[in-house]
Amino acid sequence: MPVQESVHRTRDIKVRSFRQNSNQGNGSTVLFLHGAGGFPGWLPFFDQLAAKHDVLVLEHPGFGESDNPDWIRNVADVAMYYLDVLAGLNAGKVHLVGHSLGGWIAAEAATRNCQHLASLTLIAPAGIRVKGVPAGDNFIWSPEETARNLYHDQAFADRMLAQQPTEKETEILMRNRFMAAKLGWEPRWFNPALERWLHRIAVPSLVIWGEDDKLLPSRYAAVWGERVPNVTVKVIPQCGHLPHVERAGITADAVLAFLGGR
């Protein structure tokens, strides 16, 4: 099935929505929450998931071309927004997948209410820190440093740096950067209270990390493994901060295998 772009409305907020239905016609729904860079475009990773599941990607409020309501002030507000989204989907229990900022949002939502979740998958999630293991600071990296530090395979960085955004794309990049700073500036990509509430995640969970992640070090994965009940942790070698891009096949296979029993 082709990817369908539309507008999704929850309460008074309109956001861009991208969806691809399972080829099997009866797949459960996967809701993907994107990272701080904004909607990444429709990725091969999504295509692989859509072979067995209905895949829905929503652009977060405040990002890209989506509404930016005044009442969304922090990650907790976005998490509560997504709990409203889940309640309104009428899709049964949903598999929630989040990357980086989106993983942080997903974890915050799951600590509050798992009623509408079948499972939780976190790909290099922000939200916690490990003493003595500093995170990278993408707010002070130059564009080239950002590209180089996001990937292990520098061919991906080369392609990212070679792109010449249009005027509209530049405007979206600026909106995304502003909203990312609003949500993750202080403290940097971290909620000091989150770690002590991870025990409330009441669904099977999967944590995936790139071993060479220079933004959120892969040593953080062990803490998620210790704090989240019923969790599986997978660290992917020769991979940076975007496993679903840099190692799309391996990451999709891991997610599909995890979802297969649920």
Side-chain angles (χ1 to χ4, degrees), residues 141 145-152 160 215 240-242 246:
W141 289 343
E145 287 175 317
T146 298
R148 298 295 176 198
N149 288 335
L150 285 179
Y151 295 104
H152 170 85
M160 182 176 174
L215 179 60
H241 184 62
L242 292 90
E246 190 172 5

Side-chain angles (χ1 to χ4, degrees), residues 53-174:
H53 299 273
D54 295 337
V55 178
L56 173 64
V57 184
L58 300 182
E59 188 172 59
H60 303 325
F63 284 79
E65 299 179 49
S66 296
D67 288 349
N68 187 8
D70 292 339
W71 58 264
I72 288 188
R73 303 175 302 278
N74 51 45
V75 167
D77 289 334
V78 186
M80 294 301 292
Y81 160 79
Y82 273 109
L83 289 177
D84 283 347
V85 169
L86 289 164
L89 283 180
N90 296 318
K93 290 187 178 291
V94 170
H95 300 291
L96 186 60
V97 180
H99 168 247
S100 195
L101 170 62
W104 180 8
I105 295 166
E108 295 274 5
T111 61
R112 288 162 169 79
N113 190 340
C114 287
Q115 178 183 356
H116 299 289
L117 298 185
S119 72
L120 177 68
T121 297
L122 306 175
I123 304 174
I128 68 170
R129 288 284 181 89
V130 176
K131 187 176 181 179
V133 186
D137 192 345
N138 58 320
F139 289 121
I140 64 172
W141 289 343
S142 69
E144 179 161 1
E145 287 175 317
T146 298
R148 298 295 176 198
N149 288 335
L150 285 179
Y151 295 104
H152 170 85
D153 183 346
Q154 291 299 293
F156 284 89
D158 291 339
R159 288 193 289 271
M160 182 176 174
L161 290 167
Q163 295 173 356
Q164 296 295 323
T166 65
E167 183 176 342
K168 181 179 179 180
E169 288 170 341
T170 299
E171 181 181 341
I172 286 175
L173 288 170
M174 292 301 295

Side-chain angles (χ1 to χ4, degrees), residues 240-259:
H241 184 62
L242 292 90
H244 59 303
V245 176
E246 190 172 5
R247 295 289 184 264
I250 293 172
T251 305
D253 286 346
V255 174
L256 288 170
F258 169 68
L259 300 185

